[in-house]
Coordinates of all heavy atoms in Angstrom, one line a residue:
D9 N 22.2 16.2 -1.5 CA 22.8 15.3 -0.5 C 21.8 14.5 0.3 O 22.2 13.8 1.2 CB 23.8 16.1 0.4 CG 23.0 17.2 1.2 OD1 21.9 17.5 0.8 OD2 23.6 17.6 2.2
A10 N 20.6 14.6 -0.1 CA 19.5 13.8 0.7 C 19.7 12.3 0.3 O 20.0 12.0 -0.8 CB 18.2 14.3 0.3
Q14 N 15.3 8.0 1.1 CA 14.3 9.0 1.5 C 13.7 9.6 0.3 O 12.4 9.8 0.3 CB 14.9 10.0 2.4 CG 15.2 9.5 3.8 CD 15.7 10.5 4.7 OE1 16.4 11.5 4.3 NE2 15.5 10.4 6.0
Q20 N 7.3 7.8 -3.7 CA 6.2 6.8 -3.6 C 5.0 7.4 -2.9 O 3.9 7.2 -3.4 CB 6.7 5.6 -2.9 CG 7.6 4.7 -3.7 CD 8.1 3.5 -2.9 OE1 8.1 3.5 -1.6 NE2 8.5 2.5 -3.6
A26 N -1.1 11.3 -5.6 CA -1.6 11.7 -6.9 C -2.6 10.7 -7.5 O -3.6 11.2 -8.1 CB -0.4 11.8 -7.9
K27 N -2.4 9.4 -7.2 CA -3.4 8.4 -7.7 C -4.7 8.6 -6.9 O -5.8 8.5 -7.5 CB -2.9 7.0 -7.5 CG -1.9 6.6 -8.5 CD -1.4 5.2 -8.3 CE -0.5 4.7 -9.4 NZ -0.2 3.3 -9.3
V39 N -20.2 11.5 -10.6 CA -21.4 12.1 -9.9 C -22.0 13.1 -10.9 O -23.3 13.1 -11.0 CB -21.0 12.7 -8.6 CG1 -22.1 13.6 -8.0 CG2 -20.5 11.7 -7.6
T40 N -21.3 13.9 -11.5 CA -21.8 14.9 -12.5 C -22.6 14.2 -13.6 O -23.7 14.6 -13.9 CB -20.7 15.7 -13.1 OG1 -20.0 16.4 -12.0 CG2 -21.2 16.8 -14.0
R46 N -26.3 11.0 -17.8 CA -25.5 10.6 -19.0 C -24.4 9.5 -18.6 O -23.6 9.2 -19.4 CB -24.7 11.8 -19.5 CG -25.6 12.9 -20.1 CD -24.8 14.0 -20.6 NE -23.7 14.3 -19.6 CZ -23.0 15.4 -19.5 NH1 -23.1 16.3 -20.5 NH2 -22.1 15.5 -18.6
D50 N -19.6 0.4 -18.2 CA -18.9 -0.6 -19.0 C -18.8 -1.8 -18.1 O -17.8 -1.9 -17.4 CB -17.6 0.0 -19.5 CG -16.8 -1.0 -20.4 OD1 -17.5 -2.0 -20.9 OD2 -15.6 -0.9 -20.5
D53 N -16.3 -8.7 -16.7 CA -15.9 -9.6 -15.7 C -14.5 -9.2 -15.2 O -13.7 -8.7 -15.9 CB -15.7 -11.1 -16.2 CG -17.1 -11.7 -16.6 OD1 -18.1 -11.3 -16.0 OD2 -17.1 -12.6 -17.5
H57 N -9.7 -12.2 -7.2 CA -8.5 -12.5 -6.5 C -7.4 -11.5 -6.8 O -6.7 -11.1 -5.9 CB -8.0 -13.9 -6.8 CG -9.1 -15.0 -6.5 ND1 -9.2 -15.4 -5.2 CD2 -10.0 -15.6 -7.2 CE1 -10.2 -16.3 -5.2 NE2 -10.7 -16.4 -6.4
A58 N -7.2 -11.2 -8.1 CA -6.2 -10.2 -8.5 C -6.5 -8.8 -7.9 O -5.6 -8.1 -7.4 CB -6.1 -10.1 -10.0
M59 N -7.8 -8.5 -7.9 CA -8.2 -7.2 -7.3 C -7.9 -7.1 -5.8 O -7.4 -6.1 -5.3 CB -9.7 -6.9 -7.5 CG -10.2 -5.6 -6.9 SD -12.0 -5.4 -7.0 CE -12.1 -4.9 -8.7
I60 N -8.2 -8.2 -5.1 CA -7.9 -8.2 -3.6 C -6.4 -8.1 -3.4 O -5.9 -7.3 -2.5 CB -8.5 -9.5 -3.0 CG1 -10.0 -9.4 -3.0 CG2 -7.9 -9.7 -1.6 CD1 -10.7 -10.7 -2.6
E65 N -1.8 -4.7 -1.8 CA -0.5 -4.0 -2.2 C -0.6 -2.5 -2.1 O 0.3 -1.9 -1.5 CB -0.2 -4.4 -3.6 CG 1.2 -3.9 -4.1 CD 1.4 -4.3 -5.5 OE1 1.4 -5.5 -5.8 OE2 1.7 -3.4 -6.4
H69 N 1.1 -0.5 2.9 CA 2.1 0.5 3.5 C 1.3 1.5 4.4 O 1.8 1.7 5.5 CB 2.8 1.3 2.4 CG 3.8 2.2 2.9 ND1 5.0 1.8 3.4 CD2 3.8 3.6 2.9 CE1 5.6 2.9 3.8 NE2 4.9 4.0 3.5
T70 N 0.2 2.0 4.0 CA -0.6 2.9 4.8 C -1.1 2.3 6.1 O -1.0 2.8 7.1 CB -1.8 3.5 4.0 OG1 -1.2 4.1 2.8 CG2 -2.5 4.5 4.8
R74 N -0.1 3.1 10.1 CA -1.1 3.4 11.1 C -1.3 2.2 12.1 O -2.3 2.2 12.8 CB -2.4 3.7 10.4 CG -2.2 5.0 9.6 CD -3.5 5.3 8.8 NE -3.2 6.5 8.0 CZ -4.1 7.0 7.2 NH1 -5.2 6.4 7.0 NH2 -3.7 8.1 6.5
I76 N -2.3 -0.8 11.5 CA -3.5 -1.5 11.2 C -3.1 -2.9 10.6 O -2.3 -2.9 9.6 CB -4.4 -0.7 10.2 CG1 -4.8 0.6 10.9 CG2 -5.6 -1.6 9.8 CD1 -5.6 1.5 10.0
G83 N -10.1 -16.5 0.1 CA -11.0 -16.3 -1.0 C -11.7 -17.5 -1.5 O -12.2 -17.5 -2.7
P87 N -16.2 -16.3 -6.2 CA -16.3 -17.0 -7.5 C -14.9 -17.0 -8.2 O -14.2 -16.1 -8.1 CB -17.3 -16.2 -8.3 CG -17.8 -15.1 -7.4 CD -17.0 -15.1 -6.1

Side-chain angles (χ1 to χ4, degrees):
D9 60 341
Q14 288 180 330
Q20 286 177 338
K27 283 184 175 184
V39 168
T40 302
R46 296 181 316 195
D50 180 19
D53 291 335
H57 299 279
M59 178 185 281
I60 290 169
E65 182 179 305
H69 181 72
T70 301
R74 296 178 182 173
I76 297 172

